[in-house]
Amino acid sequence: MITWQDILDNVDFWVNAGVNVLIVLFLLLLINVFFTIIRTNLMKKAKTKKQRSNIRIFGQLSRYTLSLLVIIFAILTSSGAWSGFGVFLGLLSAAIGFALQQPITGVAAWIMVVTKRPFDIGDRIIIGDVKGDVVDFNLTHVHVMEIGGLITDEENSGRIVMVPNWMLFEKNIINYTYNNDFVLHSVTVNVTYESNLDRAMEIADLSARKFLAGTISTSPGNPKVRVDFQASGIDVQVKYFSPARQLHEYSSKITKEIFDRINDTDDVEIAYPHTEVIFRKKVM
């Protein structure tokens, strides 16, 4: 039979539980506001991409850690069974580990990114078939500002792609800007066998140097010209280090410069597929 004392005990239990929940929510809100203010102030003082990335990473790590400690402390205090909590936590971890394998792998990948730093916020990367600039990453996803996308290009498509963190353990990660902001690119023109090859190579080299003059001093190397035999002509290829985020811009300018210089030259001609008919007199 239920007595008034039982009812009062139940009421006290739910009141205490409600108060504890409100306290935890308040503390979590306070932690979030605190770290938001700290991050905003630090971001104003950050001057480099590395500093901004560090502020975001360690801000997330500190906020998640402190929030988890508050929740664990609240559970232990409410239950009053600190010794039994270890058993409960073990069983809960096993159940979560079985049901949420990919999300847990994602958290492990996030820890890997935080500690090993295969990329930072602002880096241009490729993960699997996703290519773009990292704008953010958290416990579950890497947020990438896509480049290319619906077109074959190296410019931003305007779309944000959210890559699950667990894919970082299954896909190759290519970082355009891990060491510096330059990557090797090239422009190729096919000239006829009758062309002055030395002049064609000079045109390709001068065209690249014209637009790369301001970056050569900081890039890993100078433009280089290479040639290869092809069926209908000779490929003249100029290879150069271009800023990773301006690949198409530089290749477009260099291509037009090569075209204009060849048009102004009498002894170099661009090869293209065509048919030439030669009439010869029949020898009787």
Side-chain angles (χ1 to χ4, degrees):
M1 182 177 180
I2 299 176
T3 64
W4 282 104
Q5 187 60 42
D6 294 334
I7 296 175
L8 292 175
D9 290 341
N10 287 332
V11 170
D12 289 339
F13 171 79
W14 288 111
V15 169
N16 291 332
V19 170
N20 289 334
V21 170
L22 291 176
I23 292 175
V24 170
L25 292 176
F26 175 76
L27 291 175
L28 293 178
L29 178 62
L30 192 62
I31 291 171
N32 187 63
V33 171
F34 173 76
F35 281 104
T36 299
I37 294 174
I38 295 297
R39 187 182 68 176
T40 302
N41 291 332
L42 291 176
M43 290 293 283
K44 292 179 180 179
K45 299 179 181 179
K47 297 181 179 180
T48 64
K49 179 185 72 175
K50 195 78 171 180
Q51 289 176 344
R52 290 190 291 270
S53 180
N54 286 337
I55 291 170
R56 291 188 181 185
I57 291 172
F58 290 108
Q60 286 183 356
L61 181 62
S62 301
R63 186 170 70 248
Y64 292 148
T65 301
L66 191 56
S67 298
L68 181 62
L69 291 176
V70 168
I71 294 173
I72 292 176
F73 181 79
I75 294 175
L76 294 176
T77 303
S78 299
S79 63
W82 289 75
S83 59
F85 183 73
V87 177
F88 167 76
L89 187 61
L91 295 174
L92 181 63
S93 299
I96 292 177
F98 179 78
L100 303 175
Q101 295 182 27
Q102 287 187 346
I104 291 176
T105 303
V107 173
W110 178 81
I111 294 174
M112 181 271 293
V113 171
V114 170
T115 56
K116 298 297 184 181
R117 308 301 287 275
F119 55 80
D120 287 310
I121 294 174
D123 279 342
R124 177 159 291 191
I125 64 172
I126 300 176
I127 303 175
D129 57 354
V130 176
K131 178 168 58 176
D133 300 321
V134 180
V135 294
D136 193 15
F137 60 90
N138 51 40
L139 284 174
T140 58
H141 290 84
V142 179
H143 297 252
V144 177
M145 174 68 75
E146 183 188 48
I147 59 174
L150 300 177
I151 60 176
T152 304
D153 207 338
E154 288 285 337
E155 297 181 0
N156 287 330
S157 68
R159 305 190 302 183
I160 296 291
V161 180
M162 291 181 287
V163 182
N165 284 353
W166 58 266
M167 290 184 63
L168 299 179
F169 286 130
E170 299 187 3
K171 303 291 183 179
N172 291 331
I173 303 174
I174 301 174
N175 192 334
Y176 281 55
T177 53
Y178 187 82
N179 293 320
N180 52 62
D181 289 331
F182 293 89
V183 293
L184 187 65
H185 205 225
S186 67
V187 172
T188 302
V189 58
N190 187 251
V191 300
T192 63
Y193 281 107
E194 294 76 21
S195 296
N196 184 336
L197 184 58
D198 290 333
R199 178 59 180 155
M201 294 172 65
E202 181 184 12
I203 288 174
D205 183 68
L206 292 175
S207 299
R209 290 179 183 275
K210 176 180 178 180
F211 297 104
L212 297 168
T215 64
I216 288 178
S217 60
T218 57
S219 68
N222 295 322
K224 298 178 181 179
V225 179
R226 299 289 184 263
V227 294
D228 294 292
F229 286 112
Q230 298 298 331
S232 58
I234 297 180
D235 275 346
V236 179
Q237 183 183 56
V238 56
K239 299 180 180 181
Y240 55 90
F241 283 94
S242 169
R245 293 171 180 80
Q246 296 173 281
L247 292 180
H248 194 219
E249 176 184 346
Y250 277 92
S251 66
S252 178
K253 290 179 179 179
I254 293 171
T255 299
K256 186 176 186 306
E257 184 68 17
I258 291 175
F259 180 80
D260 291 341
R261 287 175 180 261
I262 289 178
N263 281 341
D264 294 336
T265 303
D266 295 331
D267 56 353
V268 178
E269 184 179 13
I270 295 176
Y272 58 91
H274 64 282
T275 301
E276 183 177 355
V277 180
I278 300 176
F279 292 97
R280 294 183 179 178
K281 291 183 180 180
K282 185 176 180 180
V283 179
M284 300 299 295

